[in-house]
Amino acid sequence: MEWRHVEGAFSQWTGDAILFYAWQEEDTLPAGPARWMDQEAPWLKESPALKDFRAKKAEILLFYGPAGARIPRVMLVGLGKRKDWSLEVFRHATAMAVRRCRDLSVERVLFPVTALDGLSETEEVLVREAMMAARLGLYRYDELKTRDVEKSDCPKEFIVCSEGPLPFVPELFREVDAVCGGIRLARDLATAPANVVTPTRMAQEAARIASAYGMAFEVFDLDKAKELGMGGFVAVAQGSREPARFIIVEHCPQGVEDQAPVVLVGKGITFDTGGISIKPAAKMEDMKHDMAGAAAVLGTLEAVGRLNIPRRVVGLMPCTENMPDGQAYKPGDVIKTHAGLTVEVISTDAEGRMILCDALSYAVSRYRPAFMVDLATLTGACVIALGDRVAGLLGNHEALLTMIQNTGKPLGELFWPLPLYDFYFEDMKSDVADFKNVGDRKAGTIIGAMFLKQFVPDTVPWAHVDIAGTVWADKDLGWIPKGASGFGVRTLVHLVREYRGSL
Ligand code: BES
Ligand code: MN
Ligand code: ZN
């Protein structure tokens, strides 16, 4: 779907369908749409169908014009009650409308800014959210299908139309393309199965992005990781026949070489069987998405590169499978990590923290980050605590956590803080090593973060985002179709873009 902008009088707007919004429990249409209808579709205002339309959230009423009408379809999209309005409602309604257009094989959708009259956000924000919702809501993954592929590539054009100039539009088109490109990549990678998205494939994608946007690319194999003392990463990787890859991509545009970088770390377990502490068979297939943290980092880099954001950003993605095998690490093993700390492995299924701890301490020692964010599908406990629409947010720096939460909220990415009190660490005491890789069953998400915290000095602002719940939509959520969400990309891109060098 391409973007286009048409500026001119109503009579100059042409397309196959036009979208307008309506409120529940309000008898009269908002002024903008009413004005358009008076002029362009007087037949519509007389229609009894209008009286029956409730305008509940994402409810859609489709009108067909008389033969020869300039715009044959008018789609009225419900926004629910005015008092319940939020950008999320707006995104959801817009995504559903554009998807309806796809079902109808509508090629050119008109999106009039006139439809936004009376909504309590700027036109720029609303057009951005509508475009994001439209593009993301149309997402589907059919790369591996050979039969029954839904072919409709409609709508082909999303036409923003206005009577006067919209100076923000060209830049907005570029921005939405870049961010959606990043989210699409993250979704594709998390959706693709583990026999397709291997650590090797992750490295190929990273190399592609690096070369497309002039970023530095490095990849460590298992031998190199051993040499660097990444004992946690090596322990997890040694049980897999699929070669592990520790991937580093650095975006460093000219002139910012001296900047302390923003460091992003993503968990890249391309398949998590649990290892010797093996998982039950039911739903194990879901564990193909255990690399979604790394995918979100790659997606972010894709967008950061396309937008050429003038800020130094480093992405680290430790990628490996977690398999049971003759060579696999075992419960009871004591592992020496890159930081030098020793860990007693109680569960090989707590593998995410084993690879992330090395990535975090390596990043700290090599890059001196301005701040560091890791994203990981780390704990099932996070899904229990927060469900699948809110990510867990933990870390050592209040202002950073607040910044992440506030950045995400209007973008439709929700984060909620959990505490990291020192006493949680007591559950991780080990008799043989510095600490264990799990606690007892309590506070699983916090224990995971508490583990990671051991590897980040207090002087480095750090946030850990547990995306175990948000990574996947079990049901259609509108702008997030059922499946991989690409969660994190949008917030991270904005975070990088808006960061001004201090927290
Ligand atoms: N990848 C899983 C966590 C997960 C579970 C993500 C469900 C998404 C959906 C992680 O590696 C894991 O197995 N965590 C264990 C930790 C436990 C052993 C302390 C868990 O949550 O059970
Ligand atoms: Mn696991
Ligand atoms: Zn895992």
Side-chain angles (χ1 to χ4, degrees), residues 267 272 279 287 290 347 349 351 353 377-380 438 468:
K267 171 177 172 181
D272 183 11
K279 289 182 180 296
M287 284 301 114
D290 211 18
S347 172
D349 199 10
E351 84 297 339
R353 61 200 74 179
T377 46
L378 206 70
T379 63
V438 304

Side-chain angles (χ1 to χ4, degrees), residues 208-245:
R208 178 184 59 71
I209 289 169
S211 92
Y213 307 113
M215 300 173 179
F217 169 78
E218 261 177 285
V219 59
F220 305 150
D221 61 12
L222 201 55
D223 286 338
K224 179 71 184 174
K226 264 183 208 156
E227 202 184 299
L228 291 169
M230 295 177 166
F233 178 68
V234 171
V236 177
Q238 72 193 23
S240 171
R241 306 280 286 262
E242 197 57 64
R245 296 287 180 257

